[in-house]
Amino acid sequence: MTKKVYIETYGCQMNVADSEVIASILKANGFEMVDNINDAGLILINTCSIRENAEQRIWRRLKAISHLKRKNRNIVIGLTGCMAERLKEKVLEEERIVDIVAGPDSYRDLPLLVSEAETGHKAVNVLLSHEETYADISPVRLDRNGVTSFVSIMRGCNNMCAYCVVPYVRGAERSRDPETILHEAEELFSSGYREVTLLGQNVDSYRHTKNGLSTGFPELLEKVAGINPLMRVRFSTSHPKDISDDLIKTISKHHNICKHIHLPAQSGSNRILKLMNREYTREWYMDRVSRIREYISDCSISTDMITGFCTETEEDHQASLSLMEWAGFDFAYMFMYSERPGTRASRKYSDNIPVEIKARRLNEIISLQNKLSAISKKNDVGKTFEVLIEGYSKRSSGYLSGRTSQNKVVVFPRREEKKGEYVNVQIEKCTSATLTGKVV
Ligand code: SAH
Ligand code: SF4
Ligand code: F3S
């Protein structure tokens, strides 16, 4: 029974990729994946700690599935990922239905942890590693659109952004052997995939050295793009302090490197950026955006923004709004600051912005971004874009859906085209989330 595994994933793309590594390790040990939680003997929840509400969601989920355990005491429940790492054994005190706690660097140990749990013991491995990149593991794809996939190129993070829990739960930064990355991307291409997104917390600092041979991110990107012109390459996330001219030029040179850069600004105020320890200024950020626009005229740029960080004034908040307006972001993820225990901000500063103010500022940046996103989409009307088809539109099977190089979703009436193919679509209309058009 324990051999049937159900995996539920929360958090970022990195966790999605990790769930595929977990699935691969378990499959190699005789486990089988199931889609329905009620069929599972082993339930793994791959967790996120980035904001307090991310963790609360997982506690609620554990409560909601506790009846499964009451019905069948042999079911094994495991918490993997960032929250497992952050809370360690404390998870077991908080929630008695949990049998296994496994941090992000312990997944090779999961088969053993499961055996231990089967004998009725609680099993914990939260050791972080300086080397583990799961380089040799071929992830089992759980996404199933069969066209786009993530490939992890590094793990951990060496930046110490004052608000962020990632360095504590994911450990030190390490880069994966480029040969294994290329091999994985080639395999994806030969099994029909047409797009890979290279993942790291700060891809610009990717560097791998073997036998005196050193590979940086622009080179890696170029190599992956070289697999086949029909294979699109994306990447996430770029750090404004590290994104180089060399990288921007590399993107501009290759048709199949997508013209979209996710470049989280977090704030537009120099004072707040300094407190956040982001190691760049507003002016530096603007220079990077200008450089992108100079080399890649059709590049879309997206961002992450945080409102209500410690001591943020109205003036700081206005600086965030004006930076967004200046940059004209195509898309943004926006959050209220959430204090995370153990981070520099929690140790050194007081979380002194009342939640009502954080929320009001968040609403203001969301409505500005809605306006900017609408402008960005309106500018596409009338133009023709190459679209990689990912499948049927959610709305109706008479329509297909895909994305442009700029990462915008396009929906269009279906004819003979199939997923995994490229088509040129002329944009006729835009709604708040999508562009619609016709194949030309
Ligand atoms: N490595 C990426 C981001 C990873 S976390 C980078 O440096 O850009 C994703 C986003 O979550 C961050 O960009 C930030 O905007 C947000 N975030 C991180 N910690 C947060 C916190 N404590 N409160 C609110 N938002 C946070
Ligand atoms: Fe967190 Fe900063 Fe690292 Fe991104 S770069 S994961 S925000 S510490
Ligand atoms: Fe990702 Fe959440 Fe961990 S954002 S790295 S899953 S804390």
Side-chain angles (χ1 to χ4, degrees), residues 10-12 14-15 47-50 82 165-166 169-170 201:
Y10 295 84
C12 64
M14 209 76 88
N15 251 15
T47 61
C48 174
S49 273
I50 200 80
C82 298
V165 77
V166 171
V169 293
R170 293 250 160 195
Q201 294 298 351

Side-chain angles (χ1 to χ4, degrees), residues 10-11 45 47-63 79 81-88 90-91 94 165 169 338-341:
Y10 295 84
I45 315 276
T47 61
C48 174
S49 273
I50 200 80
R51 283 165 290 274
E52 200 189 340
N53 58 14
E55 290 195 358
Q56 279 163 354
R57 200 169 151 211
I58 287 156
W59 291 127
R60 284 198 301 271
R61 183 64 183 141
L62 287 170
K63 291 270 175 304
L79 226 62
C82 298
M83 188 174 158
E85 187 63 47
R86 192 180 85 74
L87 295 169
K88 306 187 168 59
K90 270 189 264 170
V91 172
E94 288 284 319
V165 77
V169 293
S338 163
E339 185 177 83
R340 307 311 292 131

